[in-house]
Amino acid sequence: MTRLKVHCWMPCCPFFSGSVVMNILSLHGPDGLPEFEAFLHLVSGKLAAAICRKMQTYNEFDDVYSCSSLKILNPRIWGYKGTIYKLRVDCGKESARVLFVKTPANDIVLLHGFVKKTRKTPEKDARIAMQNFQRLKNNGAVAPMPLAKYLL
């Protein structure tokens, strides 16, 4: 896995100095391809592009910054240990949620994505994300996500 090196566009600002090294990753599926990519194939091209733009922004800022569309899946409700982020991505009438974690190496691993149909996070989707989180903790194989492929 190679690290992406991008020179900052704000050299005078100490917060942005240095190189971007955050990778956006997905767990390998049974076929060896990124699992999250299968989700991107199920949604519209516009929604897939919106999701990838959000992830690309985290990559560019080299951090998961706080915003109104980002929450944490409540570990007390769901009964897991750790932090799983839940990102809301809206595109017209479509709405998706992306569940991901940030690794100690400052990378993002996309655990699960689903199209939002109800107000609450469906139990099935939360469980899939938690199972994938456990797979990651048990050294599950990850692959870089080809974000540029989905950007319009």
Side-chain angles (χ1 to χ4, degrees):
M1 173 175 24
T2 59
R3 295 248 179 219
L4 178 67
K5 296 277 185 185
V6 177
H7 294 289
C8 179
W9 50 271
M10 291 181 60
C12 60
C13 177
F15 177 78
F16 288 100
S17 64
S19 302
V20 174
V21 295
M22 177 181 279
N23 289 302
I24 310 298
L25 308 168
S26 174
L27 287 163
H28 277 197
D31 55 2
L33 297 174
E35 276 186 4
F36 195 79
E37 210 170 345
F39 168 69
L40 293 178
H41 286 279
L42 295 175
V43 300
S44 72
K46 285 185 177 183
L47 184 56
I51 292 167
C52 290
R53 275 193 303 275
K54 292 242 184 187
M55 291 297 124
Q56 188 66 35
T57 302
Y58 290 144
N59 178 273
E60 289 170 3
F61 281 104
D62 196 28
D63 199 7
V64 176
Y65 58 88
S66 179
C67 62
S68 62
S69 61
L70 183 70
K71 296 189 185 278
I72 293 175
L73 195 65
N74 193 330
R76 285 179 287 172
I77 292 173
W78 296 104
Y80 71 94
K81 293 194 186 302
T83 302
I84 297 177
Y85 294 96
K86 178 173 64 171
L87 177 67
R88 182 183 77 226
V89 182
D90 299 318
C91 184
K93 292 184 178 185
E94 293 180 293
S95 185
R97 299 298 179 267
V98 177
L99 302 171
F100 67 90
V101 295
K102 188 174 175 189
T103 69
N106 199 39
D107 293 329
I108 289 177
V109 179
L110 304 171
L111 299 174
H112 183 60
F114 61 97
V115 175
K116 188 73 170 167
K117 295 178 185 168
T118 62
R119 187 160 184 203
K120 291 184 177 182
T121 300
E123 185 173 338
K124 173 187 163 196
D125 293 303
R127 296 274 174 233
I128 291 170
M130 291 183 293
Q131 288 168 355
N132 287 341
F133 188 31
Q134 194 59 47
R135 274 179 49 208
L136 181 65
K137 285 181 177 180
N138 294 332
N139 298 318
V142 293
M145 274 297 300
L147 299 178
K149 178 175 162 181
Y150 296 93
L151 298 174
L152 298 175

